[in-house]
Amino acid sequence: MSTWEPTWPGQRTGTDSLASRLGVLRTREGMTQQQLADRLGVSRVAVSHLEAGINSPDARTVTLLASVFGMEPHDLVAGTDYPVAKVDRLPLVVARRTEVAHQVALMEADLAWVEGPDAVVADPALVDEVRQRWRVALTKLAATVVDPDESAALGAARARLDGLSSS
């Protein structure tokens, strides 16, 4: 005789569940529920409820989640049990980088321009000026950052600049 197992209304399980997708993405990013909660401005319990499928995220939360995971909102919910009626309220595009990630990427592009075998600039004074400008910019940015991971990323970028100056 088979037994009947109750399920939450409207909740699917498996790969088409937004709840399971969120857990997989968070784990892939190496984040704890608390770290994700801090990024979203919600409690750890709220993240736990999203990943368990107890609560469904609103459009704002989907947008923030997509940004954290470096995706567009529609891509995050595509093929999941997220309500089709809510998909229309999602923005098409979100910012995928924090200011720290953006500035570090710009610094890396500038450093590629002034160092290495394909360097475009040969003037040592200009190379030093580029490095010094980035030291100042990263120091100013570090004064505004509160996230430990972003602080670490800035520290690594500044260490990279300091390592270059001693080369």
Side-chain angles (χ1 to χ4, degrees):
M1 173 187 254
S2 65
T3 59
W4 178 77
E5 191 71 33
T7 59
W8 289 89
Q11 178 185 3
R12 299 183 210 160
T13 58
T15 58
D16 60 351
S17 164
L18 180 58
S20 63
R21 182 175 289 177
L22 294 176
V24 167
L25 289 169
R26 178 186 57 78
T27 304
R28 188 178 301 154
E29 292 291 319
M31 300 173 81
T32 65
Q33 286 184 339
Q34 185 62 56
Q35 289 169 323
L36 181 57
D38 291 343
R39 290 271 172 125
L40 299 175
V42 299
S43 69
R44 188 209 52 81
V45 172
V47 171
S48 175
H49 284 189
L50 290 174
E51 290 183 4
I54 296 170
N55 292 337
S56 179
D58 60 7
R60 173 193 172 273
T61 305
V62 169
T63 302
L64 291 171
L65 285 163
S67 178
V68 167
F69 297 132
M71 324 172 63
E72 300 304 347
H74 289 268
D75 294 335
L76 177 62
V77 300
T80 69
D81 57 354
Y82 191 73
V84 175
K86 288 184 170 184
V87 172
D88 292 340
R89 298 182 210 148
L90 296 175
L92 297 176
V93 180
V94 295
R96 293 191 203 152
R97 294 188 182 194
T98 63
E99 184 62 19
V100 168
H102 180 70
Q103 292 300 320
V104 169
L106 289 174
M107 180 199 78
E108 290 296 339
D110 280 357
L111 293 179
W113 182 66
V114 299
E115 71 177 15
D118 298 327
V120 176
V121 177
D123 180 12
L126 184 58
V127 172
D128 287 341
E129 182 181 336
V130 168
R131 291 177 182 157
Q132 185 56 33
R133 285 184 184 206
W134 275 111
R135 281 187 193 92
V136 170
L138 295 180
T139 299
K140 286 180 183 177
L141 187 57
T144 66
V145 171
V146 294
D147 183 78
D149 292 333
E150 292 202 331
S151 292
L154 283 172
R158 289 190 296 189
R160 175 156 157 52
L161 286 171
D162 292 341
L164 287 175
S165 63
S166 61
S167 322

